[in-house]
Amino acid sequence: CDDSEDTDNDSDDDNFEPLQFKCSNLLLGHGDQKHRDSSYQEATHLSAASHTSLSGVVLASCHRDGTCKLWDLATRRCIVNDAAGGRRSGPGLAIRRLDQMQQFVYQSRDVLGSVSLHDIHRPLDSILQIHTYSTTFCQMAPCHTAENSQYDAADDGATMAGDRNLIALPTQEQSVAIIRDLRCDPTSNPTYRIDIGNDCYDSMVYSSRRNYGMLTSLGLCQQEKAQQLVLGCGMEDGSALFYDLRSTGSPWLLDHSAEKHECSSNETLSRFMCHTKLGNDPVLSLDLSNSFSKGTGTPSLVAVAGCAGDADELSELPEADQGTISTIKIKLADEESTNVDGGMDSSLSNTTSSMRASVRTKTNTCSIESGGKIGVSVCRFRLDGRIFAVGGWDRRLRLFDRASSKPLAILHGHEDTVTSVDWAGNASSTGLLATGAGDGRICIYRVFPNTSLKR
């Protein structure tokens, strides 16, 4: 296959006004007095216009003491002190909003690996409780769907609505991921189970489970064009693996009436999964978004991944390999070669393509020569996929253009590693972006708002 087509040009998406950088930040929290220095007192003084635009906006946050708080951004007050009701015995690990839904999911690192679903209007009454029994720092990943889908037909609309209820989760087995439907009984079998590096894989193509190490990050996305469901897995050894879960004869789809499923052929596995090596350090964060390239070619996605990193070790590598932020192009397999029985048509074997991933760019946070902390904790695409944000160990938040992978801005506001990032659901118009860090602070930024879009 010709990788020269692996472009991600947004030139056909010119219905947007030029990006304008505007930024304001505000401090939330009731932390120790040492966190209330004068610079952050000043940061809380927003303009009247900012107060107006924040009206009705609620932010959810999780904390080291296991609490899950809700904030009214217009008043900068905590309106729910603990949505978890004091029932978590471990620290909060992640909190994620479900796309285009008034719900959020809270994950804590307690002995049960608890994950709970909450309605923003009734947060104290959890809708669902899931026990993953995961003891790692791997965070859950709700399914990302396109912001403005062109698929309005009944079937496609139902598929997209259903995908918004899917969530990828770590498990007690450190190299196994599952995907659950949040509308289903949490005690039933998951929808998909992915055993990374199991014996079904072609050992000549893919490494063994021992070589990948444990699962360190997850990403889940619906490919809008093909309505395919793609899972991304970041691994301890620096690998990123991708799975087309809705491929014909998917070996990862579980029969809910049985505990086990049989392995498919190595040929099927190698066509509908792919991997790429990003470095030798763990992939701590992974996010997926739809690709908006021109034409009617092979459906594809774009991923952004952030890795841990040591400046001294990376300085000994070639400059092209020193980056801890990677953008990856994932092309799905061509399924037009399947026959009516769901099997492979051998007459078309010479024209079929397998799923493949290629690293487009690698870049650093701070300069390696500076001796700073170059690792990355979190990466998140804006819902429309045009921009992604990267939170670094160097206490800074960086914004990048998705199409070119060029940096757009560096934002300050934290005194410790930026550990969490989330875009508002309407961030393409409002520009609202929230960050949390090890210093106990939450900062709210307004970046590249597009006021011509409907909020």
Side-chain angles (χ1 to χ4, degrees):
C1 298
D2 184 5
D3 283 338
S4 63
E5 297 180 358
D6 283 354
T7 59
D8 194 34
N9 194 315
D10 278 344
S11 59
D12 57 336
D13 280 354
D14 288 333
N15 296 323
F16 295 89
E17 66 182 18
L19 295 176
Q20 299 292 324
F21 178 71
K22 298 178 182 178
C23 173
S24 58
N25 67 354
L26 103 98
L27 170 66
L28 296 175
H30 56 59
D32 299 335
Q33 188 65 32
K34 64 181 181 181
H35 292 320
R36 298 179 176 273
D37 56 46
S38 58
S39 63
Y40 283 89
Q41 288 294 333
E42 294 173 1
T44 63
H45 296 287
L46 300 181
S47 66
S50 295
H51 279 277
T52 301
S53 64
L54 292 172
S55 177
V57 180
V58 175
L59 180 139
S61 63
C62 62
H63 302 263
R64 290 174 181 170
D65 61 0
T67 59
C68 173
K69 302 181 185 298
L70 267 62
W71 306 84
D72 182 334
L73 294 190
T75 62
R76 283 164 281 170
R77 294 181 181 276
C78 180
I79 55 177
V80 175
N81 193 52
D82 186 10
R87 295 183 293 271
R88 300 297 173 91
S89 60
L93 182 59
I95 192 160
R96 298 288 299 273
R97 172 183 49 81
L98 299 186
D99 279 0
Q100 303 178 36
M101 298 173 69
Q102 296 293 307
Q103 295 175 342
F104 65 92
V105 191
Y106 171 42
Q107 177 186 14
S108 61
R109 196 166 177 263
D110 55 19
V111 293
L112 299 176
S114 301
V115 174
S116 54
L117 174 65
H118 301 261
D119 187 287
I120 198 72
H121 302 294
R122 297 180 299 277
L124 294 176
D125 300 320
S126 62
I127 302 170
L128 187 72
Q129 289 275 352
I130 299 172
H131 297 151
T132 69
Y133 299 101
S134 171
T135 59
T136 71
F137 289 91
C138 181
Q139 298 184 10
M140 61 188 174
C143 184
H144 174 81
T145 56
E147 181 181 37
N148 297 304
S149 175
Q150 59 180 316
Y151 295 94
D152 296 324
D155 289 344
D156 290 329
T159 299
M160 177 166 286
D163 284 352
R164 290 174 188 152
N165 290 279
L166 297 179
I167 186 169
L169 298 166
T171 67
Q172 188 175 17
E173 301 173 80
Q174 295 184 353
S175 59
V176 172
I178 59 172
I179 295 177
R180 286 195 173 277
D181 190 323
L182 292 173
R183 298 167 298 181
C184 298
D185 182 352
T187 62
S188 66
N189 284 340
T191 307
Y192 298 93
R193 184 180 187 275
I194 302 88
D195 192 353
I196 302 164
N198 68 12
D199 294 335
C200 297
Y201 291 11
D202 185 348
S203 60
M204 298 298 292
V205 178
Y206 298 103
S207 303
S208 70
R209 180 198 311 239
R210 291 186 298 275
N211 289 342
Y212 285 130
M214 66 181 178
L215 180 67
T216 52
S217 56
L218 289 165
L220 186 63
C221 183
Q222 179 201 63
Q223 207 289 328
E224 179 185 13
K225 185 176 179 181
Q227 297 290 290
Q228 295 295 88
L229 186 67
V230 177
L231 174 72
C233 298
M235 304 303 294
E236 184 181 13
D237 78 326
S239 295
L241 294 90
F242 302 94
Y243 301 84
D244 182 353
L245 299 177
R246 289 211 180 105
S247 58
T248 302
S250 170
W252 305 289
L253 179 63
L254 288 181
D255 182 351
H256 283 248
S257 64
E259 288 294 332
K260 297 182 179 180
H261 63 285
E262 295 182 358
C263 296
S264 295
S265 66
N266 288 336
E267 180 181 5
T268 300
L269 288 163
S270 62
R271 288 193 67 239
F272 297 109
M273 64 166 291
C274 59
H275 82 307
T276 185
K277 197 78 160 65
L278 306 181
N280 297 320
D281 295 300
V283 181
L284 299 182
S285 183
L286 184 69
D287 201 18
L288 296 164
S289 180
N290 277 271
S291 173
F292 303 109
S293 42
K294 290 182 178 179
T296 58
T298 305
S300 58
L301 294 167
V302 177
V304 58
C307 295
D310 180 86
D312 292 336
E313 293 179 0
L314 290 178
S315 64
E316 299 177 358
L317 298 176
E319 185 175 355
D321 298 328
Q322 293 178 357
T324 53
I325 306 168
S326 300
T327 53
I328 308 160
K329 186 69 173 283
I330 304 108
K331 287 206 168 186
L332 302 187
D334 180 5
E335 287 205 275
E336 293 181 357
S337 58
T338 55
N339 60 36
V340 293
D341 297 320
M344 297 302 300
D345 188 342
S346 58
S347 64
L348 297 177
S349 60
N350 292 330
T351 61
T352 62
S353 63
S354 296
M355 188 176 180
R356 65 191 188 276
S358 56
V359 178
R360 294 173 55 208
T361 61
K362 294 189 73 173
T363 187
N364 289 324
T365 52
C366 56
S367 169
I368 289 181
E369 291 75 15
S370 68
K373 297 181 178 181
I374 61 174
V376 171
S377 296
V378 59
C379 305
R380 290 286 180 269
F381 280 105
R382 198 171 69 179
L383 191 57
D384 65 355
R386 285 167 54 86
I387 299 174
F388 63 87
V390 175
W393 293 1
D394 64 345
R395 310 183 300 278
R396 294 169 177 81
L397 178 73
R398 287 172 168 79
L399 304 180
F400 293 84
D401 175 64
R402 194 282 317 279
S404 65
S405 298
K406 292 182 179 179
L408 299 173
I410 300 176
L411 306 182
H412 301 259
H414 291 289
E415 293 188 349
D416 204 342
T417 298
V418 179
T419 55
S420 59
V421 172
D422 189 39
W423 296 89
N426 59 355
S428 54
S429 60
T430 64
L432 286 179
L433 171 67
T435 61
D439 56 13
R441 294 168 176 156
I442 298 171
C443 290
I444 312 297
Y445 301 92
R446 186 181 310 285
V447 292
F448 307 125
N450 189 338
T451 56
S452 66
L453 296 178
K454 183 179 179 180
R455 296 185 180 181

